[in-house]
Amino acid sequence: MSHGASYSGVPAPPRPSGPHALLLSAAPPSASNFTINRRNPRTASSVFGKAIPQKRCFVVAGGLTWVDGVEELMELRQSEEEAPVKVKKRPPLRRGKVYPQLTVPEHIPRPSYVGANISQELHAVRQIHNAEGITGMRAACKLAARVLNFAGTLVKPSVTTNEIDRAVHDMIVEAGAYPSPLGYGGFPKSICTSVNECVCHGLPDSTQLQNGDIINIDVNVFLNGYHGGTSRTFVCGEADKSIKHFLKAAEECLEKGISVCRDGVNYRKIGKKISNLAYFYGYHVVDRFVGHGIGTMLHSEPLILHHANDNPGRMVEGETFTIEPILIMEKAECVTWENGWTTVTEDGSWAAQFEHTVLVTRTGAEILTKL
């Protein structure tokens, strides 16, 4: 469940504008007509006098981007495919009927925020686990992953998002867990279902899915005192080539972000990897919503920014957090409906999101929500 201004009151920090910011053109580069203009390597010194490794500046189809060198550029070239094609826009997403929230058996333990019905503050601690905590996180995350897989099987034309919510709710409580979103800051449903131009936090309702729609299903569970969260964007029925390209790019951005994680690495490297690849494909990263620490608390430090940033802080072995970038097909502003949750693109541009919970290790990252 993305951390962002729409439900926590804490917006993501702004994009950097200083001399060390990632440089990208306002118009994103396209994967077609790939051209490279190599300029002279540059070196610089930080304010502490430490040499900054050489970087190279490349013009990618008219867009300016900084990369770590030839190796990263080759990674981008290996990902090169046909340019994304604009999708014929459907009628705007409409507000459906939201049904009363479902009940949870009394014997199932609840998170502390349930019943508070107020906006929740971000916990200013990082969640670093011992062996017992890691075991608890693995169990919660594996359940979340199984539930998400099940939810994906329900995505079919004419099925309503409320029907998906009910089936997922039943599976979670039958496993002895609590659906984490239910009651968080007053959220009335057990999962988030975000269709087409819905960026995130879509409320399950009477909306019927149509052939060719895309839907992100965001699952979070609370099991034996630990939260686990994951999400994926599914296709309803058949999708055209441009949509498949878009979803593949969004999932690959998540994978690239995870690939840099290990003990001692700067958090900001996640955003750099994601934003470089997204812009290369010709898509845009939504910077309003961010990943977050997760464990015995649903949302905590650190905030994981998915765009280029200069935020300080390094990963620590044993900590857990989510990485959950949201990509949109066209650059657009995001607006939140009057329910205070559902956030959509202003111009109807479609959005896609993939999320995993990861555990930082000495040599890399364990993806806890991967089956």
Side-chain angles (χ1 to χ4, degrees):
M1 191 172 182
S2 304
H3 180 89
S6 68
Y7 77 105
S8 69
V10 183
R15 291 176 180 268
S17 58
H20 301 303
L22 179 69
L23 300 178
L24 293 166
S25 65
S30 168
S32 65
N33 191 27
F34 190 94
T35 59
I36 303 172
N37 292 334
R38 184 173 299 191
R39 300 183 181 180
N40 292 330
R42 302 180 8 153
T43 58
S45 297
S46 70
V47 292
F48 303 105
K50 182 178 179 180
I52 297 175
Q54 290 187 345
K55 296 182 183 290
R56 295 181 187 272
C57 178
F58 297 95
V59 176
V60 183
L64 182 65
T65 183
W66 286 103
V67 299
D68 285 330
V70 175
E71 181 179 351
E72 184 169 335
L73 183 67
M74 292 307 295
E75 287 183 13
L76 295 179
R77 294 211 58 177
Q78 289 169 5
S79 301
E80 182 181 2
E81 297 182 11
E82 70 280 355
V85 180
K86 290 186 178 181
V87 176
K88 184 178 180 180
K89 292 181 180 177
R90 299 190 180 210
L93 191 64
R94 297 184 179 277
R95 297 156 177 79
K97 178 181 179 180
V98 178
Y99 298 92
Q101 71 180 51
L102 302 172
T103 60
V104 178
E106 288 298 326
H107 71 273
I108 293 178
R110 287 143 166 77
S112 60
Y113 53 77
V114 174
N117 224 25
I118 58 174
S119 178
Q120 298 294 310
E121 296 295 327
L122 180 78
H123 295 279
V125 294
R126 292 194 289 179
Q127 303 190 62
I128 302 170
H129 307 279
N130 57 20
E132 180 182 354
I134 291 173
T135 298
M137 284 299 297
R138 284 176 177 150
C141 288
K142 288 299 183 288
L143 174 60
R146 290 196 300 272
V147 171
L148 182 61
N149 277 357
F150 168 69
T153 68
L154 306 175
V155 176
K156 298 174 183 177
S158 80
V159 171
T160 69
T161 54
N162 187 72
E163 289 171 331
I164 297 174
D165 178 74
R166 176 177 290 276
V168 167
H169 175 93
D170 289 345
M171 182 178 179
I172 293 172
V173 298
E174 285 172 8
Y178 186 92
S180 302
L182 188 61
Y184 183 87
F187 192 81
K189 308 302 286 184
S190 298
I191 58 173
C192 300
T193 53
S194 302
V195 179
N196 297 343
E197 70 265 32
C198 184
V199 173
C200 66
H201 301 160
L203 293 181
D205 58 20
S206 61
T207 299
Q208 285 188 314
L209 298 176
Q210 302 178 42
N211 186 59
D213 282 346
I214 60 174
I215 175 174
N216 175 269
I217 301 177
D218 193 340
V219 172
N220 288 261
V221 304
F222 182 68
L223 178 67
N224 298 326
Y226 293 90
H227 295 274
T230 183
S231 84
R232 190 185 313 159
T233 301
F234 300 91
V235 173
C236 179
E238 297 295 324
D240 61 34
K241 200 172 185 178
S242 62
I243 292 299
K244 292 177 181 178
H245 180 281
F246 178 47
L247 298 189
K248 181 179 179 182
E251 187 167 19
E252 190 176 338
C253 282
L254 170 61
E255 293 168 351
K256 289 294 184 185
I258 294 173
S259 70
V260 302
C261 295
R262 70 176 186 278
D263 182 54
V265 170
N266 289 313
Y267 296 114
R268 62 175 174 265
K269 287 194 174 183
I270 297 172
K272 179 180 178 181
K273 274 286 187 181
I274 291 171
S275 58
N276 265 4
L277 186 59
Y279 276 82
F280 171 80
Y281 272 130
Y283 303 122
H284 303 266
V285 178
V286 176
D287 57 12
R288 177 173 168 181
F289 298 99
V290 299
H292 52 85
I294 187 171
T296 56
M297 296 168 282
L298 181 57
H299 296 109
S300 74
E301 294 284 355
L303 294 181
I304 304 299
L305 278 61
H306 305 116
H307 59 273
N309 64 91
D310 286 328
N311 275 15
R314 295 179 181 272
M315 303 173 202
V316 177
E317 182 178 3
E319 74 171 317
T320 49
F321 52 78
T322 68
I323 303 177
E324 42 188 308
I326 304 171
L327 268 58
I328 52 177
M329 300 189 79
E330 303 287 341
K331 190 172 181 63
E333 295 298 320
C334 296
V335 295
T336 301
W337 287 356
E338 66 278 0
N339 62 32
W341 295 97
T342 304
T343 301
V344 300
T345 57
E346 193 170 36
D347 68 349
S349 178
W350 283 18
Q353 181 183 30
F354 291 81
E355 171 191 359
H356 275 308
T357 297
V358 300
L359 166 69
V360 176
T361 69
R362 184 173 58 84
T363 58
E366 179 182 341
I367 304 175
L368 298 178
T369 44
K370 187 174 183 179
L371 293 178

